[in-house]
Amino acid sequence: MPHFTVVPVKDQAQSSYDSLEGINWVDYRDTGQDYPDHQDTVSSDGHGNHKEDSPFLSSADAANKKSDYYDRNLALFEEELDIRPKVSSLLSRLVNYTNITQGAKEHEEEESAEASRRKTPKSPNMGTLMGVYLPCLQNIFGVILFLRLTWIVGMAGIIQSLLIVLMCCSCTMLTAISMSAIATNGVVPAGGAYFMISRSLGPEFGGAVGLCFYLGTTFASAMYILGAIEIFLKYLVPQAAIFHATDHAGSDSAMLNNMRVYGSICLSLMAVVVFVGVKYVNKLASLFLACVIISIVSIYAGAIKSLTHPPEFPICMLGNRTLVRDRFDVCSKTVIKDNITVPSQLWDRFCLPGNMSSTQCDDYFMQNNVTEIQGIPGLGSGIIRENMWGNYQQKGEILQKAGLHSVDAHGAMENFGMYVSADIATSFTLLVGIFFPSATGIMAGSNRSGDLRDAQKSIPVGTILAITTTSLVYISSVVLFGSCIEGVVLRDKFGDAVRKNLVVGTLSWPSPWVIVIGSFFSTVGAGLQSLTGAPRLLQAIAKDNIIPFLRVFGHGKSNGEPTWALILTGLIAELGILIASLDMVAPILSMFFLMCYLFVNLACAVQTLLRTPNWRPRFRYYHWALSFLGMSMCLALMFISSWYYAIVAMGIAGMIYKYIEYQGAEKEWGDGIRGLSLSAARYALLRLEVGPPHTKNWRPQLLVLLKLDEDLHVKYPRLLTFASQLKAGKGLTIVGSVIQGNFLDSYGEMQAAEQAIKNMMEIERVKGFCQVVVASKVREGIVHLIQSCGLGGMKHNTVVMGWPYGWRQSEDPRAWKTFINTVRCTTAAHLALMVPKNVSFYPSNHERFTDGNIDVWWIVHDGGMLMLLPFLLKQHKVWRKCKMRIFTVAQMDDNSIQMKKDLATFLYQLRIEAEVEVVEMHDSDISAYTYERTLMMEQRSQMLRQMRLSSAERQREAQLVKDRHSLVRMGSLYSDEEEEVVEAPPEKVQMTWTREKCEAERRNRNNAPENFRELMSLKPDQSNVRRMHTAVKLNEVIVNRSHDARLVLLNMPGPPRNIDGDENYMEFLEVLTEGLERVLLVRGGGREVITIYS
């Protein structure tokens, strides 16, 4: 334990230091702010100071601290103390923290200030013995020990029974070690396995395993009730049976019906008890535990007493077959009555009554002798040698003792009911499934963690000690049963050979009734506790709100009792009772508990291997190898005991997992699966970094550049729709946007924009990442996105951006200049580019094209992008029924027929189905329309240039007095707010109107007619005429062939090298795509993206 010494800082000569530094005395007071639990855990105060929610425990008494002064020694940290607590206040909150009041609530939530003032929680004071050890003992010891362990020893033999016990107890011991590590890693909430797994493995695993644990606990209550009813009907009050068998064949079904009726009644009564007063259940827990302990002690006492005085329980054998003892009085064929030998009751059972003739008797009865052997030979009899090995039996097989002489003869079927026979077929795997529930219950200590004085010490010690104790009891019981009790009695499940006595009761001292009554009360108590715990577990899962359809079960009575959860638990338990067989219900709950334990081990192993910084358990005696061994044993036991039940249980857990994942569990619990995902992602990214992807693996990894309006709404959501249709959930999608401004001032705005984009991505079902950057110029922000988005090998290779609509009507050239600059940047970065034009007409995800074509105009080879994109689009249901057509252009000297054949062969080798067409363009004469169109384009450009120059002159004076530091709150993506005008040299700037300025302005006005005459006499540039000719002719052909196409894809020409022609480039693109409804301009990234090779 570390020791701390608090040394006061002496404050001598403080005032002189303050005067030297120019510091005046100021009272630094706590502002007393409360920080509510917002969705966004970080907020900005505008100066780069981000206020974080406390990762520990928020202060409930912040309002009462306004009178506290800051320590003047901490004046340097004044800004931090406004938003973060001092160490002293944090420590005081941690010391005063208790989780006793939290119960099934999520442990991150706190009670309100009013509730805490109204009711001060009682400090936890339970130690290891009362808080963990004894509750675990009570939950582990149960119905199987009293009703089935003797039968398991008889069927499997001592060796295999020890193996079964060892396997099950080793599994629970390894699980307890893993559980102790998780339970001692911080404050443990009251909630047991569900909270441990969900907070370690995440909401998906937590919900799946939590429900499995709930179903296991619910079926456990059914198993305990069936055990109690079996004791009641078989050993306490057999006369209470409602249904009676008319013959031996119907005895099993009659018993099952009795179990169903009485089980349902018992379940209803228990549910009423739990509903009315759960506190009485908890108070009676000590009584039920006393019953268990007394019963076990009586077994040991009886075994020791059998050394000298074995109890008298004779067994009647016919040959080597065991007879049902309560069907007759004397174990003999004849009895002497008044010196006359008369047939006994046994004779009358096998022969016609009153007839001593052997001809009217059963053959097997006549040829074999009746003998009587001791049912409990005792500890010193040496019977252990006979019971060492297994003796598995088929259903209906008569129990036989190997050492007795027997003449094999055919017996009559009507006498079959006189023999003790096996009611079910047995095997090693079946016995494992039946025994395992007697090893469960190890979570009882962690469930009571809120009541423990020191949970991090008590839970590991108490749980491991309880498992050790129960394991020793089970092992010693197996050996004692095999050493004291005759084999046929051990194999007799219901004690038919010992006058319907409970087999384990025959060994007990002083009376069999000690065990019968004790086991009855212990099973009833265990059933009540399971019926109490299961609804609370379901309520905890429902309150976590990770499974929407369970939300109703989070509500209950005003005092928090889970009424609706109790009703559902009762209905599910009724299903188990309708099965009516203890041997059938036990493997079902074994599956659910094994699933739960498997994930406890997995949680510990994952946390240990990931070495997360928060993984610091106080319990040191764990290792990831032990956890993996425990996990493997759980999985093996599941399939050993019942492979089909195991598959069903895993299927249920898998469906719940996928359901929670599909619904989107918006919970962040710092779970290990997130850490595992991070480690896997890091490993994969490092592998991807080795080299660029092969052409076969190339797919468009998108960076979608979005434009936001002034209200931070996505202006063109169909860009995201198109991205989702193209990607279909595969590969990388990054959605980026730029906010113009200063980062410190616009941080909150950036978060709001990011959230708006994420919401739109969710609506449009785009699976990807969002990145918003703040930049002083939008153009620079786009360049930053293109350069820096992605990580390692997971970087974008394709940019998707919208078309700058309205660029012709706007006098501001910044919109199209930003667009062309982005085109140039993508080319320089060797990235592909896609520009969907008229994106508002693109189909939504809910539309379906039942016919139509996707037309590809392949003008120049771009690495195969034009071929690949329609194929990817056709994978989506919107475009699936469209046909693909590929057009290419033939010049004068091209052989169009050969081109068509070659293109068809190429597509065949690419495994792409498409119609092929070659369009011939022979007319190279430039039309008057083309010439006129080019002339209009250049005149417009010249006019706008002159207008911008004169406008700049007029606005220069006003620009100087304008506040240069005013910031536009939201910049659009394709228009920068910065000035981009040709400025005059600084020395010509005048602050006031002078004579020279007036003369210059007059000259400009006089020059206006000359400028107009220059525009009229302008001759178009021949290079522009040729480009316009290409655009016009291509547009004519495309509109002629593809006017009714659903989508037209064509090569996007590159921007001119000379930036003076940028405006003309925009005009060429407009002419090229005129008259087409949906156009996708595509520009390759300079590498092959499609291959003919496999």
Side-chain angles (χ1 to χ4, degrees):
M1 182 73 187
H3 296 279
F4 298 98
T5 306
V6 180
V7 181
V9 179
K10 294 188 178 180
D11 202 19
Q12 296 172 356
Q14 180 69 44
S15 56
S16 61
Y17 282 60
D18 289 342
S19 61
L20 286 173
E21 296 292 333
I23 299 174
N24 295 321
W25 284 106
V26 179
D27 289 340
Y28 296 107
R29 301 175 188 270
D30 195 324
T31 57
Q33 291 176 331
D34 274 337
Y35 301 111
D37 188 13
H38 294 299
Q39 280 296 109
D40 298 321
T41 58
V42 182
S43 59
S44 174
D45 61 0
H47 301 286
N49 296 324
H50 307 312
K51 298 180 181 181
E52 300 180 12
D53 287 346
S54 170
F56 302 101
L57 307 162
S58 59
S59 59
D61 56 345
N64 300 325
K65 291 171 60 182
K66 290 187 178 180
S67 59
D68 292 350
Y69 290 86
Y70 287 146
D71 191 331
R72 62 173 180 264
N73 295 315
L74 299 178
L76 180 61
F77 296 94
E78 174 188 349
E79 299 294 334
E80 281 75 10
L81 288 171
D82 278 337
I83 56 175
R84 294 182 175 90
K86 288 194 290 186
V87 173
S88 58
S89 58
L90 173 69
L91 290 175
S92 68
R93 279 183 235 146
L94 285 172
V95 168
N96 294 329
Y97 172 67
T98 175
N99 66 348
I100 190 170
T101 58
Q102 291 173 332
K105 283 185 179 181
E106 182 168 339
H107 68 286
E108 288 90 349
E109 295 179 355
E110 291 185 354
E111 297 204 339
S112 63
E114 291 84 7
S116 62
R117 280 197 294 269
R118 188 168 61 249
K119 183 179 179 181
T120 305
K122 185 178 65 176
S123 60
N125 56 4
M126 293 183 76
T128 304
L129 181 69
M130 295 301 295
V132 181
Y133 180 71
L134 292 179
C136 281
L137 279 188
Q138 183 181 355
N139 279 266
I140 295 172
F141 286 134
V143 65
I144 302 295
L145 170 64
F146 303 118
L147 292 184
R148 292 291 182 269
L149 189 57
T150 53
W151 176 71
I152 289 171
V153 174
M155 290 296 179
I158 294 174
I159 299 293
Q160 291 186 32
S161 297
L162 288 174
L163 181 61
I164 292 171
V165 171
L166 196 63
M167 286 168 60
C168 295
C169 293
S170 300
C171 178
T172 52
M173 179 62 82
L174 292 170
T175 304
I177 291 171
S178 299
M179 185 197 74
S180 299
I182 298 171
T184 58
N185 187 49
V187 177
V188 185
Y194 164 66
F195 278 98
M196 283 193 286
I197 294 169
S198 61
R199 271 53 175 183
S200 297
L201 293 180
E204 295 89 358
F205 277 112
V209 181
L211 277 184
C212 282
F213 193 45
Y214 163 73
L215 290 172
T217 310
T218 305
F219 274 103
S221 65
M223 184 189 76
Y224 288 127
I225 291 170
L226 288 174
I229 299 303
E230 183 178 310
I231 294 168
F232 179 75
L233 288 177
K234 285 280 187 181
Y235 311 113
L236 280 175
V237 192
Q239 302 83 13
I242 299 170
F243 300 94
H244 300 279
T246 53
D247 57 357
H248 175 74
S251 61
D252 288 344
S253 59
M255 182 62 188
L256 293 179
N257 288 331
N258 286 320
M259 298 276 278
R260 291 183 182 111
V261 172
Y262 280 102
S264 302
I265 295 169
C266 185
L267 174 64
S268 304
L269 291 173
M270 285 186 175
V272 170
V273 169
V274 171
F275 177 77
V276 171
V278 70
K279 58 183 179 182
Y280 300 115
V281 177
N282 294 328
K283 286 182 178 178
L284 289 171
S286 54
L287 172 65
F288 299 141
L289 177 60
C291 291
V292 173
I293 294 173
I294 290 169
S295 300
I296 293 171
V297 169
S298 73
I299 293 172
Y300 284 106
I304 294 169
K305 182 176 175 291
S306 70
L307 267 171
T308 55
H309 298 87
E312 287 293 327
F313 282 99
I315 306 168
C316 193
M317 308 292 294
L318 178 61
N320 63 353
R321 296 180 180 180
T322 312
L323 294 174
V324 178
R325 193 65 181 84
D326 65 330
R327 297 286 184 91
F328 51 92
D329 52 359
V330 180
C331 183
S332 173
K333 291 184 179 182
T334 58
V335 292
I336 298 173
K337 203 173 196 180
D338 299 330
N339 293 327
I340 302 171
T341 303
V342 295
S344 64
Q345 286 186 7
L346 184 61
W347 183 283
D348 291 341
R349 292 284 184 181
F350 283 94
C351 305
L352 288 176
N355 191 348
M356 289 291 288
S357 172
S358 62
T359 57
Q360 302 294 324
C361 291
D362 183 270
D363 287 344
Y364 187 85
F365 177 73
M366 292 307 299
Q367 296 183 32
N368 287 280
N369 296 323
V370 175
T371 55
E372 198 170 56
I373 62 172
Q374 188 63 20
I376 314 292
L379 200 56
S381 63
I383 197 72
I384 188 171
R385 288 189 294 273
E386 294 180 20
N387 294 331
M388 196 64 74
W389 308 108
N391 192 355
Y392 298 108
Q393 298 190 307
Q394 297 300 313
K395 184 176 181 180
E397 187 177 340
I398 296 171
L399 301 188
Q400 299 177 347
K401 181 170 172 60
L404 292 178
H405 174 71
S406 174
V407 177
D408 194 13
H410 184 70
M413 274 306 296
E414 57 266 19
N415 296 321
F416 185 78
M418 290 297 298
Y419 303 112
V420 181
S421 59
D423 64 330
I424 58 169
T426 52
S427 63
F428 179 80
T429 57
L430 177 82
L431 298 182
V432 170
I434 291 173
F435 177 77
F436 187 79
S438 63
T440 60
I442 61 173
M443 302 290 179
S446 62
N447 292 347
R448 294 165 176 258
S449 58
D451 301 325
L452 300 174
R453 192 183 305 117
D454 185 359
Q456 298 193 0
K457 177 186 175 186
S458 297
I459 289 176
V461 174
T463 306
I464 291 171
L465 273 179
I467 294 174
T468 306
T469 305
T470 52
S471 301
L472 291 173
V473 168
Y474 286 139
I475 290 169
S476 59
S477 297
V478 166
V479 175
L480 286 177
F481 292 157
S483 305
C484 297
I485 305 174
E486 175 61 50
V488 287
V489 180
L490 287 173
R491 291 191 290 277
D492 181 8
K493 185 187 290 185
F494 301 113
D496 291 328
V498 286
R499 296 186 182 273
K500 299 288 186 183
N501 276 298
L502 184 61
V503 174
V504 70
T506 59
L507 184 62
S508 65
W509 180 86
S511 166
W513 289 101
V514 175
I515 289 280
V516 173
I517 295 171
S519 60
F520 177 75
F521 279 113
S522 71
T523 48
V524 168
L528 274 172
Q529 287 194 321
S530 297
L531 212 54
T532 305
R536 279 155 182 73
L537 181 58
L538 181 62
Q539 187 182 41
I541 298 169
K543 281 189 174 181
D544 268 343
N545 202 19
I546 56 174
I547 305 175
F549 68 82
L550 291 180
R551 206 168 292 157
V552 66
F553 299 109
H555 308 297
K557 292 195 290 186
S558 58
N559 61 352
E561 290 296 318
T563 309
W564 292 107
L566 178 61
I567 292 171
L568 180 67
T569 304
L571 292 174
I572 296 173
E574 179 63 24
L575 293 178
I577 283 167
L578 291 177
I579 295 172
S581 171
L582 189 69
D583 305 318
M584 294 288 285
V585 174
I588 295 175
L589 75 102
S590 293
M591 290 304 119
F592 290 125
F593 277 119
L594 281 166
M595 282 284 291
C596 177
Y597 296 167
L598 184 148
F599 282 105
V600 169
N601 285 299
L602 176 64
C604 180
V606 166
Q607 297 275 33
T608 307
L609 287 174
L610 288 178
R611 297 177 183 173
T612 50
N614 193 49
W615 180 246
R616 303 184 298 274
R618 286 194 178 280
F619 180 75
R620 298 292 182 187
Y621 306 103
Y622 69 94
H623 194 269
W624 62 265
L626 290 176
S627 299
F628 269 116
L629 181 61
M631 191 172 68
S632 306
M633 288 191 71
C634 289
L635 195 62
L637 283 173
M638 285 175 71
F639 282 93
I640 284 172
S641 56
S642 178
W643 62 268
Y644 43 89
Y645 279 159
I647 290 171
V648 170
M650 292 171 80
I652 291 171
M655 285 190 291
I656 297 166
Y657 179 94
K658 294 307 289 184
Y659 175 77
I660 297 171
E661 189 180 54
Y662 175 74
Q663 286 294 325
E666 296 177 358
K667 297 283 182 183
E668 174 54 69
W669 287 327
D671 50 85
I673 291 297
R674 295 289 178 101
L676 189 62
S677 302
L678 186 64
S679 294
R682 172 183 162 276
Y683 175 75
L685 284 170
L686 290 173
R687 288 287 303 272
L688 282 174
E689 195 70 59
V690 174
H694 192 273
T695 304
K696 289 187 290 187
N697 295 327
W698 195 94
R699 64 166 64 244
Q701 316 286 15
L702 302 183
L703 169 61
V704 184
L705 298 176
L706 278 188
K707 184 176 182 179
L708 302 178
D709 61 17
E710 291 163 2
D711 297 324
L712 301 180
H713 296 141
V714 177
K715 201 164 185 181
Y716 300 113
R718 285 294 163 86
L719 270 177
L720 290 174
T721 312
F722 172 70
S724 73
Q725 292 168 4
L726 184 66
K727 300 295 290 180
K730 305 290 192 302
L732 175 71
T733 304
I734 303 172
V735 181
S737 188
V738 179
I739 291 177
Q740 187 175 354
N742 180 277
F743 178 74
L744 293 178
D745 298 330
S746 305
Y747 181 75
E749 206 168 323
M750 184 188 80
Q751 281 194 314
E754 208 167 288
Q755 193 58 47
I757 292 174
K758 284 179 180 176
N759 293 340
M760 187 55 66
M761 288 171 70
E762 193 172 341
I763 292 169
E764 297 295 340
R765 295 184 179 178
V766 176
K767 294 184 178 179
F769 308 99
C770 171
Q771 187 158 352
V772 178
V773 298
V774 179
S776 57
K777 298 181 181 179
V778 173
R779 185 185 300 179
E780 290 178 2
I782 294 173
V783 174
H784 293 158
L785 283 173
I786 291 173
Q787 288 184 86
S788 61
C789 276
L791 180 64
M794 282 293 281
K795 288 184 74 71
H796 56 278
N797 54 30
T798 307
V799 176
V800 180
M801 64 187 301
W803 179 262
Y805 302 102
W807 68 273
R808 280 174 171 165
Q809 290 76 25
S810 172
E811 292 183 7
D812 190 356
R814 290 185 290 269
W816 54 265
K817 283 194 174 183
T818 304
F819 174 81
I820 295 175
N821 185 67
T822 307
V823 176
R824 286 197 171 102
C825 288
T826 55
T827 306
H830 300 290
L831 301 174
L833 176 67
M834 288 188 283
V835 182
K837 198 160 179 278
N838 302 329
V839 74
S840 300
F841 297 112
Y842 276 55
S844 70
N845 284 324
H846 304 294
E847 295 179 48
R848 303 281 189 283
F849 287 142
T850 55
D851 56 1
N853 300 311
I854 299 176
D855 287 356
V856 177
W857 285 84
W858 193 19
I859 314 298
V860 294
H861 181 55
D862 57 354
M865 277 281 288
L866 284 172
M867 309 289 179
L868 187 61
L869 291 176
F871 171 77
L872 294 174
L873 277 175
K874 285 186 64 173
Q875 308 303 307
H876 197 273
K877 56 191 174 185
V878 172
W879 305 92
R880 190 166 291 148
K881 298 201 175 167
C882 293
K883 293 181 180 176
M884 185 173 161
R885 296 191 301 186
I886 296 184
F887 298 89
T888 190
V889 177
Q891 301 299 321
M892 285 284 290
D893 52 349
D894 290 331
N895 184 344
S896 57
I897 298 173
Q898 188 61 39
M899 277 181 70
K900 186 171 182 178
K901 286 181 181 177
D902 293 346
L903 183 54
T905 305
F906 179 57
L907 288 176
Y908 176 77
Q909 290 174 334
L910 287 175
R911 290 92 61 204
I912 292 177
E913 293 182 10
E915 293 180 28
V916 176
E917 216 168 314
V918 177
V919 179
E920 297 180 346
M921 291 180 62
H922 296 316
D923 188 6
S924 60
D925 296 335
I926 296 172
S927 64
Y929 170 75
T930 303
Y931 192 86
E932 189 69 26
R933 188 84 187 248
T934 312
L935 182 62
M936 286 171 61
M937 176 186 74
E938 294 195 355
Q939 284 177 346
R940 178 181 176 279
S941 299
Q942 186 70 17
M943 189 183 300
L944 287 172
R945 196 174 295 118
Q946 289 178 1
M947 286 171 65
R948 283 195 294 272
L949 284 172
S950 61
S951 173
E953 286 288 335
R954 285 195 305 271
Q955 292 180 359
R956 186 161 295 118
E957 290 294 334
Q959 183 67 27
L960 288 170
V961 269
K962 189 178 173 184
D963 181 12
R964 301 294 294 243
H965 298 288
S966 62
L967 295 172
V968 178
R969 297 302 296 166
M970 180 63 215
S972 73
L973 190 58
Y974 302 125
S975 71
D976 289 350
E977 297 297 330
E978 68 270 15
E979 285 293 332
E980 286 190 6
V981 293
V982 180
E983 294 189 6
E987 61 269 13
K988 289 188 178 181
V989 174
Q990 303 293 331
M991 291 301 294
T992 57
W993 285 97
T994 61
R995 182 183 301 277
E996 291 83 2
K997 183 67 179 176
C998 290
E999 290 176 359
E1001 190 66 25
R1002 195 177 296 117
R1003 279 198 303 273
N1004 284 339
R1005 290 197 191 97
N1006 293 335
N1007 288 338
E1010 294 178 15
N1011 294 338
F1012 182 73
R1013 282 194 294 272
E1014 283 178 15
L1015 284 174
M1016 291 298 102
S1017 61
L1018 190 70
K1019 288 187 178 181
D1021 182 61
Q1022 287 302 311
S1023 172
N1024 287 340
V1025 172
R1026 287 197 305 274
R1027 287 187 170 88
M1028 183 63 78
H1029 173 69
T1030 303
V1032 169
K1033 295 299 290 180
L1034 263 178
N1035 179 255
E1036 285 178 7
V1037 175
I1038 293 171
V1039 171
N1040 183 34
R1041 298 296 184 93
S1042 302
H1043 60 89
D1044 60 346
R1046 299 294 189 187
L1047 180 65
V1048 176
L1049 290 87
L1050 71 152
N1051 292 110
M1052 182 180 184
R1057 292 185 179 88
N1058 185 2
I1059 60 171
D1060 293 337
D1062 282 357
E1063 193 167 6
N1064 298 337
Y1065 172 69
M1066 295 297 297
E1067 189 69 34
F1068 295 145
L1069 293 180
E1070 285 282 11
V1071 172
L1072 183 63
T1073 57
E1074 232 169 25
L1076 297 171
E1077 187 180 16
R1078 299 184 195 92
V1079 186
L1080 182 63
L1081 296 169
V1082 181
R1083 188 161 169 74
R1087 61 162 294 171
E1088 293 294 328
V1089 300
I1090 198 165
T1091 178
I1092 62 174
Y1093 300 106
S1094 62

